[in-house]
Each structure stands twice: as C-alpha cells, then as structure tokens.
Amino acid sequence: MPKMINESVEYIRSKTSSHPEIAMILGTGLNTIAEMMEDPTIIPYRDIPNMKVSTAPSHAGKLVSGKLSGKNVIIMQGRLHFYEGYSMQEITFSIRMLKMLGVERLIITNAAGSLRENYKPGNIILLEDHINMMGTNPLIGKNLEKFGERFPSLHEPYSLALIKKCEKIAANNDFEVKRGVYCAVTGPSLETRSECKMFQSVGADLVGMSTVPEVIVAVHSGMEVLGISVVTNYSNIFHSKAHSQEEIRKNADIARNNIEKLIKSLLEKI
Ligand code: HPA
C-alpha cells in the first residue's frame, strides 16, 4: 500500500508543482465548486496510477490542483463509494495520497437525507460528529504506523475551530448554517422508515452513503477535517415518496452559492 501511494503521489507531482495544504472532496451536485479554482491543473483519476474511477452519477472523477483565495488547494471532483463495490481501503486511498502530497486540512462535502423536520432540503449543515452504520471500518487490517496510531481517537473528528469560523462567515453573509450529526450507511438502497426512526432516536440528524470512511482515515493521519452536508431530501420519516436523483441535484443547486461563499471566505481566513 505505501508503495502504491508513492506511485500515485509521484505521478501527481510530475503534473503539477503546486504544494497543496488544503484538499476538498466534492459530493453529489457540488462538482462545480472546482470551477472557482485559479490556474487549475486537471488530472483525471483514470490517469493516476492505482486510483480507481467512480461509477456514481454526477461524480466527475477528476483531481483539480490550483489556487483558491490565495491558498494552494487540491480538489477531488467526485469520490468513490462503498456501494460501488470498492473496498474500504480503495475508497480511502486518495486520503493517504493527499496526506503524502502535504495536505493537512480536508474539507469534505456530501449530499444527505434529513432525519429532522427543521433540517430542510437546501440547508447547509456543518458536521459536528458522525455515527458509523456501515458495519465496517477503513482502518481494519495492518496499521500503517507511518500515517497514525492503531487506535486513533475520534473525540473531535470534525474541527470545532473550523465549524466556528464557518458559523461566523455565514452570519456575516446573512445565510444560515446548522450543526448536525451524520449517520453513514452503505446504500445503495435508501433507508426504510424504521431505519430512519432508529438513526433519529440515537442522535443522528442526517443520513448518507459516504464521508465517514474518508474522515476516519483523515483523522488517523492527523488531518484537521471540516464536514459539510447539503440536505437534498427529507428521509422517509416525513413522506412516502421515492427520492429522485433530480430532486437531490436540484436541492444541492440551491445550497451551492452559499457553500461557494463559505469555502472562499474560509480559505481566506485559515
Ligand atoms: N439517504 C442516503 N443517502 C443520501 C440521501 C438519503 O436520503 N440523500 C442523499 N444521499
């Protein structure tokens, strides 16, 4: 594994001389945030040795390296999901690659379903904690001491300092953000009403099919993490309709302007 990571890192270094300190992973419907980058170098995932390619709809599969708000940033436009059939190690491979490139801060975005009536489609939620209901963990197996310890603490998986900065930016720009707890499931089937009620009763506010494996690996390697969810739909607790991918994308669109503002201002301030 470390050898594979080195090969990927060497390839990326051969394509860009940028030394990124901050990485962003863009979730469903949030791909266009990469278009804000100045001086971008675009590297398709398929060209990077050892990198798998996402099959999910609206996940572009490109790495974009460049500048944003004066910072060296690298964006993963599209992610791999466990439900695509990749292993936990495969879906988190890129996190270690980013770490080896020098990334110390990770901003991770996703689309999520709401388990609370006041977390409405289009709302932006700053993650303050998560519940892993995926039934597995990306750190199972031999520990890679080079990255971190065997039993990493998850007492603050999402940086409170970054959450507070985001809340200030939102208040100054007159838009709302809330805090929330994200529950990760494998998918690809959506949750039943009873499952949603269970997640709600144990303290989750949102449910989705990503993020948690990446966050665990990022925290293991000592990165500071900011998690941002866009509520794209109410979960089945609140209605009895099927969700469409179109609905999910439409609600991600509603939040996108404010997320762009949030990220641009945050990068100026960190
Ligand atoms: N459930 C799981 N994942 C999701 C949802 C949902 O309701 N919405 C967007 N991603």
Side-chain angles (χ1 to χ4, degrees):
M1 174 97 144
K3 186 168 165 279
M4 288 166 74
I5 299 168
N6 276 335
E7 283 170 1
S8 312
V9 168
E10 268 170 35
Y11 178 79
I12 295 165
R13 288 215 174 112
S14 75
K15 295 285 163 194
T16 168
S17 56
S18 164
H19 293 280
E21 317 142 63
I22 300 163
M24 266 191 271
I25 299 177
L26 302 180
T28 304
L30 300 171
N31 270 325
T32 56
I33 290 174
E35 287 160 18
M36 302 191 297
M37 290 273 265
E38 295 150 35
D39 232 349
T41 303
I42 297 172
I43 308 172
Y45 291 170
R46 65 170 180 276
D47 291 352
I48 304 173
N50 310 314
M51 199 55 201
K52 304 281 185 219
V53 178
S54 173
T55 61
S58 87
H59 282 258
K62 282 186 267 179
L63 201 133
V64 185
S65 166
K67 282 222 175 237
L68 195 54
S69 304
K71 298 282 191 313
N72 289 327
V73 174
I74 194 158
I75 293 186
M76 310 234 16
Q77 215 183 4
R79 61 152 59 84
L80 302 177
H81 300 82
F82 195 52
Y83 64 71
E84 293 175 81
Y86 296 118
S87 69
M88 279 280 152
Q89 282 71 29
E90 284 169 332
I91 64 174
T92 55
F93 178 83
S94 58
I95 305 296
R96 286 175 168 151
M97 184 181 82
L98 294 170
K99 176 73 184 183
M100 297 283 289
L101 281 166
V103 169
E104 293 296 339
R105 284 179 161 140
L106 180 67
I107 301 174
I108 183 158
T109 68
N110 63 50
S114 168
L115 300 166
R116 309 268 170 211
E117 202 154 16
N118 61 335
Y119 285 39
K120 300 186 179 75
N123 280 181
I124 296 171
I125 315 297
L126 305 171
L127 303 187
E128 56 178 353
D129 209 351
H130 69 227
I131 298 171
N132 180 6
M133 290 293 246
M134 292 180 127
T136 182
N137 189 298
L139 300 177
I140 290 174
K142 189 173 181 305
N143 185 48
L144 297 181
E145 293 290 333
K146 181 176 161 57
F147 288 94
E149 58 182 304
R150 173 76 291 188
F151 302 109
S153 169
L154 291 189
H155 65 281
E156 191 187 311
Y158 303 90
S159 161
L160 195 54
L162 293 181
I163 290 172
K164 286 182 179 163
K165 283 198 170 78
C166 289
E167 287 172 339
K168 234 185 222 163
I169 292 164
N172 290 340
N173 287 278
D174 276 334
F175 65 87
E176 192 191 19
V177 290
K178 293 187 174 86
R179 293 189 193 188
V181 176
Y182 179 92
C183 175
V185 293
T186 65
S189 55
L190 285 142
E191 310 70 46
T192 64
R193 183 168 298 121
S194 301
E195 286 165 347
C196 290
K197 283 185 187 159
M198 175 180 73
F199 301 152
Q200 187 193 50
S201 73
V202 294
D205 304 305
L206 302 164
V207 58
M209 302 175 192
S210 68
T211 302
V212 164
E214 292 119 305
V215 170
I216 291 172
V217 171
V219 171
H220 175 253
S221 71
M223 288 187 194
E224 188 178 16
V225 178
L226 174 70
I228 307 174
S229 286
V230 176
V231 178
T232 50
N233 55 278
Y234 276 121
S235 72
N236 287 329
I237 300 177
F238 304 106
H239 59 81
S240 47
K241 285 185 304 191
H243 308 299
S244 70
Q245 284 298 314
E246 197 186 319
E247 170 197 3
I248 288 179
R249 269 194 289 276
K250 190 190 88 200
N251 287 316
D253 280 350
I254 293 172
R256 201 167 46 220
N257 271 346
N258 288 337
I259 290 198
E260 286 182 7
K261 260 187 236 161
L262 187 64
I263 288 173
K264 267 191 183 159
S265 305
L266 180 69
L267 292 179
E268 278 163 19
K269 291 177 173 55
I270 58 177

